[in-house]
Structures are given as C-alpha cells and as structure tokens.
Amino acid sequence: MEPERNAVYLVKVGELTLKSGNIKDFEQRLTQNAQLYLEGKNARVRLRAGRMYVEAPEASAGAVEYMLTHLVGIAGWARATIVDRDIAAIKKAVYAEGLKARASGAKTFKVEARRSDKAFPLNSYEISRESGEALYDEGILAVDVHRPDATITVEVREQCYVYGSQHPGHRGLPCGTGGKGLLLLSGGIDSPVAGFRMLARGMKIDCLYFHSHPYTSPEAQEKVETLAKTLARYGVGTHLNVVPFTKVQERIRDSAPPDYATILLRMCMMKVANMACGITGAKAIVTGESLGQVASQTIENLTVTNGFAAYPVLRPLIGMDKDEIIAVAKRIGTYETSILPYEDCCVLFSPKHPVLRAKADETGEIYEAMGIEQMLGEAFAAREHKRFGWLEG
Ligand code: ATP
Ligand code: MG
C-alpha cells in the first residue's frame, strides 16, 4: 500500500512582492503568522519566490484551511496534488481534477500550464494541450480558453503541482508589520470593519469598548465580545478592554447642553483611548466613522474630536458608503453579529438635534465646565480586560 500523502496547499502571496525594501520582514511575519495557526499540527510552511507552500498530514487539512481562510496577506490559495514530473502522471492528475469540476457542475475547462523548469521536455503549451486531452476526448468537459467554468493549473517546478479551483485570500499585509492600533469597537456594523481594514494593512489591533450598564444590556457587551473574537481570528489574537461609562454618560446628560451630548461623549472616549494607547503601546486610534453617515460625523465634529486625541485617529471607512462597508462585514463574518438588536450606549443618550458643526473653542469650554477628567481616569481604572485567541472557540 502507498504511504498516505500529505495534504499540499499552494498559496499566492499578494502584495508582498511590491514591498522591495522590507520584503524579508514581511515574508518572515507572514510565515510566522501561518505557523501560529498550525502549532501542533505537524505542518510545514515554506515561502519561496512569492509562493507559500503548506504541507500537512491529511488529519490537519481542516486546520490548514482554517488558517488559509483567516490569514491576512495572501491573494489566493488552492489545494494541490504533487505528481511525478512526467506527462503521464500530470495527465492522470488533470483528469482527476476535471472529474471533480464536472461533478460540481462545470461544463467547460482549460488547462493553464507553467513551467519554471525549462529542462522539462514539453513547453507550457504542449503540457496544457496534452494533459487535458482525455477530458475532451471522452466528452467529460469541453474546452473553452476564454471563459472556462473550470481552470486546472499545472505548475512544473522542482516538483510538479496540479490544482483545480482557487480560493480568494484576504489580501493586504501580514498582521504585525504595521505597529499596533487601538480600535474603538462598538456593537455596530462599522467599527469591526474599520478594525479589519487596519489589520489588513499589517496593524495589530487591540479593542476598547465603553458600556453603560444598566442602560445597555449584557447582550450588548456579549455582542462586542463576539465581534472582538471574530477579529481575533484574522489578527492572530486581540485584547478587549471594557470600560464602564455609565457615570460619564450621566454626567454629560446632567451638566451639558443636550445637543452636545454625542460630541462630548466622543471627546471623553478619545481621552480614555489616549490612556489605553499609553498602556497597550498602540500608536494610533481607529474608529468606524464615515464622513456624513450620521450627524456626529461631519468634518467639523471629527476635527473637534481629533483635538482630544493624543495619537493619530485613523478612520479607514471615511470615504466608504454603507453598502461597501456591509459587503466587507459579510465577508469577514461580523455582519450577522452586528445586526443583532442590542443597542450600544450612544443610542440611548443620543440628542434629537445633535450639533452638526461644533466649534473647537466652544465645545472645549463646555467640556472643561463638566469637570469630568477625574471621572474618566476612574472609569479607565475600573476596566475589565479580556484576551481572545486566533483559533475558533
Ligand atoms: P458603528 O457601526 O461602528 O457603531 P456608527 O455608525 O454607529 O458606528 P457611531 O455610533 O456614531 O457610529 O460611532 C462612531 C464610532 O465611535 C464607532 O465606529 C466606534 O469606533 C466608536 N464608538 C461608538 N460607540 C462606542 C462604544 N460604545 N465603545 C467604543 N467605541 C465606540
Ligand atoms: Mg454605533
């Protein structure tokens, strides 16, 4: 009996090829991140010439595919078969892929061959033509080189790889190459997407959530924890800091003009975010704001909020519309959680007519008059801390 072959995956490493300066660091980080998901799985991860190769025993194939559907920094991946470097073996593997494609509904196909080893006796065109022959001779699939239902790829390298369908990956830069950001995470649709966006630019993301028990329910917080857990899977883990903000919200309600409640709350959040950055080593604050989406998100109000941040405020969704944001939320699996009905704190204290164009000096004076600084320090000191890992569960 033949020994059981390892499961083999070929991974296209997207944008890394562009970053000539620090490409070594990026490649190393990508490999390390991939290995983190596969600890104890007997898997081997290698990166060579813009390709990542993952090999693991069949029993670990599920773990490899979990990694590939969460790892950031790859353009796409496919499970491949390694075959002997001769055309008979290639034909057999292409035939098997063709049958699989047929079984999943494909009617047409093409074979795309690449040959980096020029010593191989056939050129790419010949490999494509010969290896697909049996499939169209036997009427299993018809050839369509322009818009095939299925593409079967043959790569003749130091080994020979054959694979069928390719899965898209999460493009971007490997998490951990872009410093750390502190995400203001609420239970809405936007902030988890904002966190993912920065994560996919290489940032490690820690999260900060403000709750207002008993005005907000425990379910609202559970929702945020679920969102943090989902982000953790892409970000090789995350920390969630939960800060009690009830007293702060009540102080704002009782001592400031109602129209200013939302912007004052944002300013208080920034002050606490500064404290959290100081402790976590984050170099930026990330929010899910999008210009004009709600009254508090005018350029004037965002500018006033910025004045209270001691770090750059990154708003990756600033120019995106809601449909685009929702599409990302669905892709990364946060949407279903975000649309659960439990309200986060802002909604309950929201004024009917929030100030649209806050002025920095005026708003600053209202803020000062509230005498809220000490309360903010106490709220931060009373925070709860949770850590979520990158594996499911
Ligand atoms: P989201 O969908 O992310 O909740 P939103 O469109 O509802 O955003 P706002 O409620 O105005 O907008 O909040 C703007 C941003 O402020 C959020 O994207 C988030 O980054 C931050 N934020 C709001 N509420 C909280 C909270 N309770 N805890 C932490 N951050 C918050
Ligand atoms: Mg919200």
Side-chain angles (χ1 to χ4, degrees):
M1 214 171 90
E2 260 190 68
E4 197 187 335
R5 283 208 162 174
N6 276 343
V8 176
Y9 294 82
L10 242 70
V11 186
K12 277 190 193 145
V13 172
E15 208 178 333
L16 288 194
T17 43
L18 301 175
K19 302 278 157 201
S20 51
N22 34 10
I23 180 139
K24 278 273 159 294
D25 296 347
F26 285 86
E27 287 186 347
Q28 218 171 37
R29 181 62 71 140
L30 186 70
T31 312
Q32 276 170 9
N33 287 353
Q35 282 163 342
L36 278 176
Y37 289 88
L38 298 172
E39 248 162 47
K41 301 289 177 193
N42 265 325
R44 197 158 82 108
V45 180
R46 283 178 304 141
L47 213 147
R48 190 185 302 165
R51 279 305 176 88
M52 194 162 81
Y53 301 83
V54 186
E55 250 183 80
E58 190 55 46
S60 299
V64 175
E65 294 188 14
Y66 177 85
M67 179 273 282
L68 292 169
T69 47
H70 291 88
L71 184 72
V72 172
I74 61 177
W77 60 275
R79 181 161 174 171
T81 313
I82 295 187
V83 299
D84 291 340
R85 286 166 28 117
D86 79 37
I87 190 68
I90 294 173
K91 273 180 163 174
K92 209 170 131 196
V94 168
Y95 190 79
E97 282 304 336
L99 289 181
K100 271 195 247 168
R102 174 72 224 205
S104 53
K107 299 253 184 312
T108 59
F109 85 118
K110 76 170 171 182
V111 177
E112 236 174 53
R114 264 174 247 133
R115 183 185 64 146
S116 64
D117 174 5
K118 302 294 174 207
F120 194 75
L122 304 178
N123 67 26
S124 339
Y125 172 74
E126 291 162 338
I127 299 169
S128 301
R129 209 195 43 209
E130 285 201 28
S131 65
E133 226 167 37
L135 287 170
Y136 59 81
D137 276 356
E138 294 177 22
I140 295 166
L141 292 167
V143 175
D144 182 345
V145 291
H146 301 294
R147 302 188 57 188
D149 297 334
T151 301
I152 301 169
T153 310
V154 177
E155 295 191 16
V156 183
R157 298 173 175 248
E158 76 285 8
Q159 305 204 72
C160 179
Y161 302 87
V162 176
Y163 53 91
S165 57
Q166 293 188 62
H167 307 266
H170 296 287
R171 291 164 181 273
L173 300 175
C175 181
T177 55
K180 189 189 275 185
L182 180 78
L183 171 67
L184 300 194
L185 179 63
S186 72
I189 294 169
D190 302 325
S191 44
V193 173
F196 180 79
R197 279 283 191 211
M198 295 322 298
L199 204 150
R201 293 319 294 165
M203 267 196 158
K204 190 101 189 65
I205 292 291
D206 275 1
C207 306
L208 177 62
Y209 167 63
F210 300 94
H211 78 71
S212 303
H213 301 326
Y215 300 101
T216 55
S217 62
E219 285 87 352
Q221 182 172 329
E222 275 166 31
K223 200 173 143 180
V224 172
E225 286 176 17
T226 306
L227 292 171
K229 272 185 206 164
T230 308
L231 284 178
R233 292 179 190 146
Y234 300 99
V236 284
T238 193
H239 296 263
L240 171 67
N241 287 291
V242 180
V243 172
F245 240 34
T246 312
K247 284 188 193 157
V248 171
Q249 295 246 65
E250 288 171 342
R251 171 69 66 87
I252 294 174
R253 182 193 61 197
D254 298 339
S255 63
D259 299 356
Y260 281 78
T262 307
I263 186 143
L264 289 168
L265 178 64
R266 283 284 170 280
M267 290 151 74
C268 292
M269 286 182 179
M270 285 301 162
K271 286 277 181 176
V272 175
N274 295 339
M275 299 174 205
C277 286
I279 281 188
T280 60
K283 296 186 173 70
I285 298 167
V286 181
T287 80
E289 288 156 316
S290 169
L291 191 66
Q293 197 192 79
V294 292
S296 58
Q297 296 173 17
T298 61
I299 190 63
E300 290 82 359
N301 290 4
L302 297 178
T303 306
V304 170
T305 318
N306 280 359
F308 278 66
Y311 297 81
V313 183
L314 306 179
R315 299 180 171 97
L317 312 188
I318 198 73
M320 286 172 78
D321 67 45
K322 201 75 186 185
D323 291 343
E324 290 175 294
I325 297 170
I326 287 174
V328 181
K330 287 186 173 163
R331 184 162 63 85
I332 63 174
T334 55
Y335 183 73
E336 294 303 325
T337 308
S338 291
I339 58 172
L340 293 172
Y342 317 107
E343 306 288 14
D344 62 48
C345 59
C346 317
V347 178
L348 296 172
F349 289 88
S350 297
K352 282 216 176 56
H353 305 287
V355 52
L356 288 180
R357 302 190 203 296
K359 294 199 177 67
D361 44 0
E362 210 174 304
T363 318
E365 278 165 27
I366 299 173
Y367 175 86
E368 290 303 329
M370 289 196 303
I372 206 165
E373 292 270 321
Q374 193 188 334
M375 193 179 266
L376 296 178
E378 286 163 4
F380 184 61
R383 71 191 175 277
E384 219 188 312
H385 170 263
K386 301 194 179 211
R387 155 129 194 86
F388 301 114
W390 51 90
L391 298 178
E392 218 153 357

